[in-house]
Amino acid sequence: MGGLSGFPFAGVTGFGAYCSHIPDGGQSLIVYGPHVGIDAKGNFGMVDRRGISATSTCCGSAVGALGHARAVQEGTAQVTDSPDFFDSQQRWVEKLLFPHLKRIQDSNNEHVELPNALLDCQKEFMNQILKKGESNIPHGTPIAIIGGIQVNTPLEMEDYFCTKSFQILNSRNEVLEDLIDDFNSY
């Protein structure tokens, strides 16, 4: 269901298609979230990519959306309600991120706060997809839903996933268990 900046842009229709592949008596796992890079010099928002000599932004879509939010703040760009069909995902990332600009700017490190702001947007996005797509979930199917931030690290290190939420839902989108505290205690 993924897309730019980790948003589940396949939406309710994509979720319905996903649910149609859950076998009878099966279970479901949904993992969502943005990613951020840390380069070999320890810079957040940058990453060293295999086979490419220059360090680049990570996540490029998120960094671009942050730049756009600043331009809107300065009056040199606009938030649009009618995204460009040929770049619609990026326009939506910009629109969804804009309300979080002050929070990002007030943080100690914008490139640390940026993926956290995106994750909060995505959590709400996922909640709406689950709510609107609830009828697609086979009756009795439990859903494990995990939200977090994928951290891309220097080439000589392993990447990792920073889990921020972990819930088990029933097929009516009700929380059966919130496992994040148990998960983080390990």
Side-chain angles (χ1 to χ4, degrees):
M1 292 183 17
L4 289 180
S5 291
F7 278 90
F9 282 118
V12 176
T13 301
F15 180 68
Y18 166 80
C19 288
S20 72
H21 294 275
I22 299 171
D24 294 343
Q27 300 171 351
S28 171
L29 171 65
I30 298 172
V31 180
Y32 68 92
H35 72 126
V36 66
I38 303 174
D39 69 12
K41 295 176 184 173
N43 297 309
F44 281 81
M46 302 299 288
V47 71
D48 304 308
R49 300 180 193 276
R50 190 173 316 282
I52 300 174
S53 59
T55 299
S56 59
T57 58
C58 180
C59 166
S61 168
V63 171
L66 179 58
H68 183 265
R70 282 194 191 105
V72 169
Q73 184 182 52
E74 294 164 1
T76 60
Q78 296 177 358
V79 175
T80 178
D81 285 331
S82 55
D84 172 3
F85 178 77
F86 296 102
D87 204 12
S88 61
Q89 288 190 20
Q90 184 61 25
R91 298 295 84 80
W92 277 108
V93 173
E94 293 166 0
K95 181 179 174 73
L96 295 168
L97 182 65
F98 183 72
H100 298 272
L101 179 60
K102 181 168 175 24
R103 160 189 172 182
I104 295 167
Q105 289 175 323
D106 290 347
S107 70
N108 291 332
N109 185 325
E110 291 185 350
H111 292 287
V112 172
E113 191 59 29
L114 178 58
N116 284 288
L118 288 168
L119 182 63
D120 289 345
C121 293
Q122 291 169 16
K123 184 173 187 174
E124 178 58 30
F125 208 89
M126 278 305 309
N127 287 340
Q128 290 300 314
I129 289 171
L130 289 167
K131 182 179 177 182
K132 292 178 181 191
E134 178 183 315
S135 64
N136 294 308
I137 304 168
H139 181 72
T141 300
I143 300 171
I145 184 161
I146 300 171
I149 299 169
Q150 175 68 33
V151 181
N152 302 118
T153 59
L155 296 175
E156 65 277 359
M157 298 174 65
E158 294 291 324
D159 291 347
Y160 68 96
F161 188 79
C162 179
T163 304
K164 299 284 197 162
S165 64
F166 186 177
Q167 295 179 320
I168 306 296
L169 309 175
N170 64 20
S171 59
R172 294 178 310 280
N173 198 26
E174 299 166 334
V175 177
L176 298 175
E177 291 183 81
D178 191 325
L179 300 170
I180 193 61
D181 290 337
D182 293 338
F183 184 80
N184 286 333
S185 68
Y186 286 100

